[in-house]
Amino acid sequence: MTTKATNYLTHFRNIGIAAHIDAGKTTTTERILFFTGRNRNIGEVHDGAATMDWMEQERERGITITAAATTAKWTRSGTEQEYVVNIIDTPGHVDFTIEVERSMRVLDGAVAVFDSSQGVEPQSETVWRQADRYGVPRIAFSNKMDKTGASFDLVLGDIRERLGAIPAPIQYPMGEESDFKGIIDIVRMQTHTFTNDLGTEITVGEIGDIPEKYAGKVAEMRAMMIEAAAEVDEDVMMKFLEGEEPTPEELIKALRKGTIAQRIFPVLCGSALKNKGVQLLLDAVIDYLPNPLEVPAIVGKVEDSEETVAFPADPDGKLAALAFKIMADPYVGRLTFVRIYSGTMQSGSYVMNASKDKRERVGRLLKMHANSREEVTELKAGELGAVIGLKDSGTGNTLIGDGDDAVLLESIDIPEPVIKLAIEPKTKADQEKMGIGLQKLAEEDPTFRVESDQESGQTTISGMGELHLEILVDRLKREYKVEANVGAPQVAYRETITRATDVEGKFVRQSGGRGQFGHVKIRAEPLEPGSGFVFENAVVGGTIPREYINPAQ
Ligand code: GDP
């Protein structure tokens, strides 16, 4: 419910950009930051200008592994209304699923980015299912419309068939591949034609300007969208049945309702690389994704009882916050990223870490912008930011007011590592330094474990996949100046799935074997024609029936 105290929240959107590696998440995020005015230095992603990729090796590898939150501002096109858009960075690589899950907890909506030339790929499916699990409303961005092989229809079809979701196309591309020249807004029936290379000059045309050759497609898409809207809204349904045209306002209202209920998924198109469609994407974030008052209030569990309490977003309520990311920062030491669900966190105040039963002092508070940090005195319900000064709070910990009754917010499931390597310093004298470095890295990342065998003196590290460990070994070298040799990976589990046709599409939480093992690497091609897929490092949950699984010999 909106009250005077919570009114500001209607202008908040806490979103993530979810995609698998290479779909264009970094480029899209960078362009969003460019258009929201906080990042004027537009550049190629992999030449070192990407703002969200904080760590050196992320840039080199072109993957994003941090889950920082960046605050941006956007004025809804055609209005004077300014919105705060907090972008929570979600990693796309399958080895960092735990990081994706953490960020899913703290966002209210997401933009799912797809590569239009590839459609919905297996990894995009994984990310989509994760968002399903956390009940995250989504809009889809069919990116790379300029690329050879790009097809908006392919993405729409894949969303329906592979993801089993109802797409509501709210746009249609004018031209595809090198011919991609503009976007038709099929809610308002307007054309947006790009007239310069930067994508910043746009000519808006009315219904009569829609080129004749797109008329058939536009009618087809509009029918698909209206049908989706009619499924969730009676007014649109009545008009639909009577053959009347709903107004753009009615359509937006219905689509917004259906999107927030996760029954339908608006689909947009564009080319992040060519800066096309990004402003319209930001408008759609405002139009269709929920503000913090429109998502269910987070629920906390009262300690030592079955009782629960809900914390509706209200700055005057009791403090309830979740720490979702710890980062070592070269300037200020340890940064704890938090989302405030309820109440207000003040700099210089004391809070209780209910997960660890420890009182902690909040030193300074920061809002992170693309190119700057803003020191603030408080963070209010619905806001995200970073705390300097918390010494003991870790990922997934609940922070409440000093002296309040202990409650734990839904915490983050931390999967067991799937892979283990022996590690030793290249120079024997570095043994102790290596131990300290590994320990620090393990504090930041709960899926990274360090063990040492007292008898043999051997140290082992374990994590979520080879790339995960490779990056950590790399950080050990860069940040702690310890070069290390690692042994061959010991894969914790490996299994072959037979009768693959029976299990296709159920790959989300792979199962079998013992315990929780995290996620899976899928070698997508059958071993032999018709024989099934090999899953490496599989297991979790219980989606694949056991009879389909033969542990590899
Ligand atoms: P991420 O791994 O999802 O973060 O993807 P990136 O943003 O790093 O993009 C992966 C690659 O796709 C890079 O080489 C980008 O330049 C390229 N790319 C991103 N967006 C587009 C686009 O709209 N069109 C084309 N043709 N390439 C793109």
Side-chain angles (χ1 to χ4, degrees), residues 213-453:
K213 65 175 171 180
Y214 301 120
K217 261 302 180 192
V218 167
E220 182 194 323
M221 293 292 136
R222 198 167 148 87
M224 197 192 292
M225 172 194 58
I226 292 177
E227 204 178 321
E231 289 220 12
V232 294
D233 188 274
E234 277 184 16
D235 296 341
V236 176
M237 178 58 97
M238 287 306 290
K239 287 203 162 177
F240 177 68
L241 292 175
E242 284 160 18
E244 265 182 67
E245 284 292 321
T247 63
E249 291 69 34
E250 286 170 333
L251 277 172
I252 292 170
K253 186 172 140 270
L255 292 170
R256 178 177 182 81
K257 189 162 82 179
T259 306
I260 293 174
Q262 298 147 65
R263 290 175 59 190
I264 58 176
F265 300 89
V267 189
L268 297 89
C269 61
S271 162
L273 187 68
K274 303 278 162 77
N275 308 314
K276 292 174 177 166
V278 179
Q279 298 100 318
L280 291 174
L281 177 63
L282 276 160
D283 287 347
V285 164
I286 306 302
D287 286 347
Y288 304 110
L289 292 179
N291 68 52
L293 298 168
E294 291 170 306
V295 294
I298 194 160
V299 173
K301 197 174 157 298
V302 179
E303 210 171 44
D304 300 326
S305 88
E306 292 300 301
E307 229 179 290
T308 55
V309 239
F311 290 95
D314 178 358
D316 298 330
K318 283 195 169 177
L319 179 68
L322 196 67
F324 67 96
K325 174 81 186 170
I326 311 295
M327 272 176 77
D329 182 87
Y331 305 106
V332 295
R334 190 181 154 104
L335 283 180
T336 308
F337 281 85
V338 292
R339 167 156 183 172
I340 315 292
Y341 289 94
S342 159
T344 300
M345 187 181 277
Q346 310 273 358
S347 59
S349 69
Y350 279 88
V351 293
M352 252 329 262
N353 178 330
S355 314
K356 294 203 169 146
D357 201 18
K358 274 210 163 120
R359 192 164 176 256
E360 287 229 70
R361 185 165 182 277
V362 173
R364 288 151 63 200
L365 295 172
L366 300 175
K367 279 190 194 166
M368 314 298 265
H369 302 287
N371 286 343
S372 65
R373 301 169 166 205
E374 176 190 1
E375 183 152 356
V376 293
T377 54
E378 58 178 31
L379 288 174
K380 290 191 294 187
E383 293 192 307
L384 292 106
V387 188
I388 305 172
L390 297 179
K391 292 191 180 65
D392 292 307
S393 298
T395 296
N397 287 175
T398 298
L399 303 174
I400 56 172
D402 192 19
D404 287 351
D405 293 340
V407 285
L408 295 176
L409 301 177
E410 306 156 324
S411 76
I412 294 168
D413 301 332
I414 298 181
E416 288 298 313
V418 294
I419 190 170
K420 201 174 205 178
L421 305 176
I423 183 166
E424 60 177 24
K426 282 200 173 140
T427 335
K428 263 264 169 275
D430 279 348
Q431 185 74 37
E432 196 182 317
K433 226 162 98 187
M434 180 182 88
I436 294 170
L438 290 175
Q439 215 49 56
K440 292 254 188 233
L441 292 169
E443 278 172 25
E444 263 181 57
D445 178 349
T447 58
F448 177 60
R449 310 272 167 87
V450 185
E451 282 160 307
S452 55
D453 189 283

Side-chain angles (χ1 to χ4, degrees), residues 19-28 44-46 53 62-64 92 113 115 141 143-148 270-275:
H20 77 87
I21 191 159
D22 263 5
K25 190 194 64 186
T26 311
T27 314
T28 306
E44 265 299 308
V45 172
H46 301 302
D53 281 351
I63 55 170
T64 310
V113 179
D115 178 337
F141 183 57
N143 187 34
K144 305 200 187 182
M145 281 311 306
D146 61 301
K147 201 177 151 191
T148 307
S271 162
L273 187 68
K274 303 278 162 77
N275 308 314

Side-chain angles (χ1 to χ4, degrees), residues 132 234 276 282 325-326 330 389 422 477 520 522 524 528 536:
D132 278 344
E234 277 184 16
K276 292 174 177 166
L282 276 160
K325 174 81 186 170
I326 311 295
K477 183 171 142 199
V520 89
I522 300 169
E528 291 159 29
E536 285 171 22

